[in-house]
Amino acid sequence: MPWMPPTTPLACEALAALDRPLVAWRDIGEFDSDDFYSDYPPGEISKLEREVRKLGMRRVWRMERIWQPSAEDPAAESAAYERGCRQVGGVMIVPRCLDDYVVQAYRAADLDDDPDADPEVCGDLDAALDWAQAGICVLQQSLPWPFFDVLPYGQLDNRPAHRLLYAYAMLLRHRQPRKAGTWFRAMVYLNPNDNMGARFHAPGGPR
């Protein structure tokens, strides 16, 4: 995963509001890239996937998840979430909740949770990218650096991290497609199963 320097005012504000990083720990077992791709027909594996396959055995990680409460959740959970809220960028969020940054990013871009929307109808992309970058800076506090291992999407607790990375890459492609490709590529390295389809936007991915 590329390093995101916390240089924007919003990222600095988010990190200042962070009482502690999210917990990340090694999960049971290892991910065998060669075994994962062994059933792929030779003609159907892309250049990117061949590179991931060469990585062989890698450790698997799982992250603590801070939930955004829904209307169906018990009142106690909503109250606990509200107690954790802090003002960041003029908005009340839980600084350790990665999904909060995704929501604010899409809201700023006026995408209504649709990252594939036409960039001409987007709102403030600069503000949207700032929110996504701030979330990634929070994520980076939780994982060892440099991070070469696997963060499986199949683990529910890992999904906010993938949603955040995907949101940032999809927003960034409207401004800097080549740079966005680096992040899509990193998502496939993090999660070879690629549940979010990042490989279709990454250099060397299937077309």
PDB file of all heavy atoms in Angstrom, residues 63-77:
ATOM      1  N   MET A  63      -8.486  -6.398  11.146  1.00  0.00           N
ATOM      2  CA  MET A  63      -8.527  -5.097  11.794  1.00  0.00           C
ATOM      3  C   MET A  63      -9.756  -4.944  12.674  1.00  0.00           C
ATOM      4  O   MET A  63     -10.815  -5.510  12.391  1.00  0.00           O
ATOM      5  CB  MET A  63      -8.544  -3.975  10.751  1.00  0.00           C
ATOM      6  CG  MET A  63      -7.274  -3.867   9.942  1.00  0.00           C
ATOM      7  SD  MET A  63      -7.240  -2.325   9.024  1.00  0.00           S
ATOM      8  CE  MET A  63      -7.232  -1.153  10.400  1.00  0.00           C
ATOM      9  N   GLU A  64      -9.593  -4.172  13.714  1.00  0.00           N
ATOM     10  CA  GLU A  64     -10.732  -3.777  14.529  1.00  0.00           C
ATOM     11  C   GLU A  64     -11.673  -2.922  13.683  1.00  0.00           C
ATOM     12  O   GLU A  64     -11.234  -2.108  12.875  1.00  0.00           O
ATOM     13  CB  GLU A  64     -10.246  -2.963  15.729  1.00  0.00           C
ATOM     14  CG  GLU A  64     -11.349  -2.395  16.599  1.00  0.00           C
ATOM     15  CD  GLU A  64     -10.807  -1.452  17.655  1.00  0.00           C
ATOM     16  OE1 GLU A  64      -9.625  -1.070  17.586  1.00  0.00           O
ATOM     17  OE2 GLU A  64     -11.579  -1.087  18.547  1.00  0.00           O
ATOM     18  N   ARG A  65     -12.952  -3.127  13.871  1.00  0.00           N
ATOM     19  CA  ARG A  65     -13.942  -2.346  13.118  1.00  0.00           C
ATOM     20  C   ARG A  65     -14.778  -1.509  14.076  1.00  0.00           C
ATOM     21  O   ARG A  65     -15.294  -2.013  15.071  1.00  0.00           O
ATOM     22  CB  ARG A  65     -14.873  -3.262  12.324  1.00  0.00           C
ATOM     23  CG  ARG A  65     -15.942  -2.486  11.556  1.00  0.00           C
ATOM     24  CD  ARG A  65     -16.829  -3.418  10.753  1.00  0.00           C
ATOM     25  NE  ARG A  65     -17.811  -2.661   9.989  1.00  0.00           N
ATOM     26  CZ  ARG A  65     -18.710  -3.219   9.186  1.00  0.00           C
ATOM     27  NH1 ARG A  65     -18.747  -4.524   9.048  1.00  0.00           N
ATOM     28  NH2 ARG A  65     -19.573  -2.466   8.526  1.00  0.00           N
ATOM     29  N   ILE A  66     -14.891  -0.233  13.762  1.00  0.00           N
ATOM     30  CA  ILE A  66     -15.786   0.660  14.489  1.00  0.00           C
ATOM     31  C   ILE A  66     -17.031   0.823  13.642  1.00  0.00           C
ATOM     32  O   ILE A  66     -16.986   1.342  12.521  1.00  0.00           O
ATOM     33  CB  ILE A  66     -15.120   2.033  14.745  1.00  0.00           C
ATOM     34  CG1 ILE A  66     -13.760   1.842  15.416  1.00  0.00           C
ATOM     35  CG2 ILE A  66     -16.039   2.913  15.581  1.00  0.00           C
ATOM     36  CD1 ILE A  66     -13.809   1.147  16.754  1.00  0.00           C
ATOM     37  N   TRP A  67     -18.156   0.385  14.173  1.00  0.00           N
ATOM     38  CA  TRP A  67     -19.393   0.331  13.394  1.00  0.00           C
ATOM     39  C   TRP A  67     -20.099   1.673  13.358  1.00  0.00           C
ATOM     40  O   TRP A  67     -20.134   2.408  14.340  1.00  0.00           O
ATOM     41  CB  TRP A  67     -20.345  -0.699  14.003  1.00  0.00           C
ATOM     42  CG  TRP A  67     -19.857  -2.098  13.914  1.00  0.00           C
ATOM     43  CD1 TRP A  67     -18.912  -2.699  14.707  1.00  0.00           C
ATOM     44  CD2 TRP A  67     -20.265  -3.087  12.986  1.00  0.00           C
ATOM     45  NE1 TRP A  67     -18.714  -3.990  14.320  1.00  0.00           N
ATOM     46  CE2 TRP A  67     -19.527  -4.271  13.276  1.00  0.00           C
ATOM     47  CE3 TRP A  67     -21.185  -3.109  11.938  1.00  0.00           C
ATOM     48  CZ2 TRP A  67     -19.691  -5.446  12.545  1.00  0.00           C
ATOM     49  CZ3 TRP A  67     -21.349  -4.274  11.221  1.00  0.00           C
ATOM     50  CH2 TRP A  67     -20.608  -5.431  11.521  1.00  0.00           C
ATOM     51  N   GLN A  68     -20.686   1.963  12.208  1.00  0.00           N
ATOM     52  CA  GLN A  68     -21.645   3.057  12.107  1.00  0.00           C
ATOM     53  C   GLN A  68     -23.012   2.486  12.479  1.00  0.00           C
ATOM     54  O   GLN A  68     -23.484   1.552  11.839  1.00  0.00           O
ATOM     55  CB  GLN A  68     -21.716   3.601  10.682  1.00  0.00           C
ATOM     56  CG  GLN A  68     -20.611   4.541  10.293  1.00  0.00           C
ATOM     57  CD  GLN A  68     -20.850   5.113   8.915  1.00  0.00           C
ATOM     58  OE1 GLN A  68     -21.314   4.419   8.019  1.00  0.00           O
ATOM     59  NE2 GLN A  68     -20.539   6.379   8.730  1.00  0.00           N
ATOM     60  N   PRO A  69     -23.655   3.007  13.501  1.00  0.00           N
ATOM     61  CA  PRO A  69     -24.946   2.434  13.897  1.00  0.00           C
ATOM     62  C   PRO A  69     -26.020   2.714  12.856  1.00  0.00           C
ATOM     63  O   PRO A  69     -25.980   3.723  12.149  1.00  0.00           O
ATOM     64  CB  PRO A  69     -25.252   3.147  15.222  1.00  0.00           C
ATOM     65  CG  PRO A  69     -24.493   4.432  15.139  1.00  0.00           C
ATOM     66  CD  PRO A  69     -23.250   4.130  14.353  1.00  0.00           C
ATOM     67  N   SER A  70     -26.954   1.787  12.759  1.00  0.00           N
ATOM     68  CA  SER A  70     -28.106   1.961  11.865  1.00  0.00           C
ATOM     69  C   SER A  70     -29.362   2.112  12.711  1.00  0.00           C
ATOM     70  O   SER A  70     -29.327   1.988  13.943  1.00  0.00           O
ATOM     71  CB  SER A  70     -28.247   0.751  10.938  1.00  0.00           C
ATOM     72  OG  SER A  70     -28.569  -0.413  11.690  1.00  0.00           O
ATOM     73  N   ALA A  71     -30.471   2.367  12.053  1.00  0.00           N
ATOM     74  CA  ALA A  71     -31.731   2.566  12.762  1.00  0.00           C
ATOM     75  C   ALA A  71     -32.162   1.300  13.500  1.00  0.00           C
ATOM     76  O   ALA A  71     -32.909   1.371  14.478  1.00  0.00           O
ATOM     77  CB  ALA A  71     -32.812   2.992  11.774  1.00  0.00           C
ATOM     78  N   GLU A  72     -31.673   0.135  13.038  1.00  0.00           N
ATOM     79  CA  GLU A  72     -32.065  -1.136  13.653  1.00  0.00           C
ATOM     80  C   GLU A  72     -31.205  -1.499  14.855  1.00  0.00           C
ATOM     81  O   GLU A  72     -31.532  -2.427  15.594  1.00  0.00           O
ATOM     82  CB  GLU A  72     -31.993  -2.266  12.622  1.00  0.00           C
ATOM     83  CG  GLU A  72     -33.011  -2.187  11.488  1.00  0.00           C
ATOM     84  CD  GLU A  72     -32.631  -1.162  10.442  1.00  0.00           C
ATOM     85  OE1 GLU A  72     -31.425  -0.889  10.306  1.00  0.00           O
ATOM     86  OE2 GLU A  72     -33.539  -0.623   9.780  1.00  0.00           O
ATOM     87  N   ASP A  73     -30.104  -0.784  15.050  1.00  0.00           N
ATOM     88  CA  ASP A  73     -29.201  -1.125  16.143  1.00  0.00           C
ATOM     89  C   ASP A  73     -29.776  -0.691  17.492  1.00  0.00           C
ATOM     90  O   ASP A  73     -30.552   0.266  17.563  1.00  0.00           O
ATOM     91  CB  ASP A  73     -27.839  -0.463  15.939  1.00  0.00           C
ATOM     92  CG  ASP A  73     -27.042  -1.107  14.819  1.00  0.00           C
ATOM     93  OD1 ASP A  73     -27.209  -2.312  14.620  1.00  0.00           O
ATOM     94  OD2 ASP A  73     -26.278  -0.386  14.147  1.00  0.00           O
ATOM     95  N   PRO A  74     -29.401  -1.396  18.572  1.00  0.00           N
ATOM     96  CA  PRO A  74     -29.862  -1.005  19.903  1.00  0.00           C
ATOM     97  C   PRO A  74     -29.441   0.424  20.235  1.00  0.00           C
ATOM     98  O   PRO A  74     -28.406   0.922  19.765  1.00  0.00           O
ATOM     99  CB  PRO A  74     -29.178  -2.014  20.834  1.00  0.00           C
ATOM    100  CG  PRO A  74     -28.822  -3.175  19.962  1.00  0.00           C
ATOM    101  CD  PRO A  74     -28.547  -2.597  18.603  1.00  0.00           C
ATOM    102  N   ALA A  75     -30.250   1.084  21.057  1.00  0.00           N
ATOM    103  CA  ALA A  75     -29.966   2.472  21.423  1.00  0.00           C
ATOM    104  C   ALA A  75     -28.621   2.607  22.109  1.00  0.00           C
ATOM    105  O   ALA A  75     -27.929   3.623  21.955  1.00  0.00           O
ATOM    106  CB  ALA A  75     -31.082   3.000  22.334  1.00  0.00           C
ATOM    107  N   ALA A  76     -28.215   1.570  22.839  1.00  0.00           N
ATOM    108  CA  ALA A  76     -26.933   1.625  23.553  1.00  0.00           C
ATOM    109  C   ALA A  76     -25.771   1.743  22.578  1.00  0.00           C
ATOM    110  O   ALA A  76     -24.794   2.437  22.843  1.00  0.00           O
ATOM    111  CB  ALA A  76     -26.772   0.389  24.433  1.00  0.00           C
ATOM    112  N   GLU A  77     -25.861   1.046  21.428  1.00  0.00           N
ATOM    113  CA  GLU A  77     -24.785   1.120  20.445  1.00  0.00           C
ATOM    114  C   GLU A  77     -24.724   2.503  19.799  1.00  0.00           C
ATOM    115  O   GLU A  77     -23.643   3.046  19.561  1.00  0.00           O
ATOM    116  CB  GLU A  77     -24.971   0.035  19.386  1.00  0.00           C
ATOM    117  CG  GLU A  77     -24.761  -1.381  19.916  1.00  0.00           C
ATOM    118  CD  GLU A  77     -24.748  -2.417  18.807  1.00  0.00           C
ATOM    119  OE1 GLU A  77     -24.626  -2.018  17.628  1.00  0.00           O
ATOM    120  OE2 GLU A  77     -24.850  -3.608  19.124  1.00  0.00           O
TER     121      GLU A  77
END
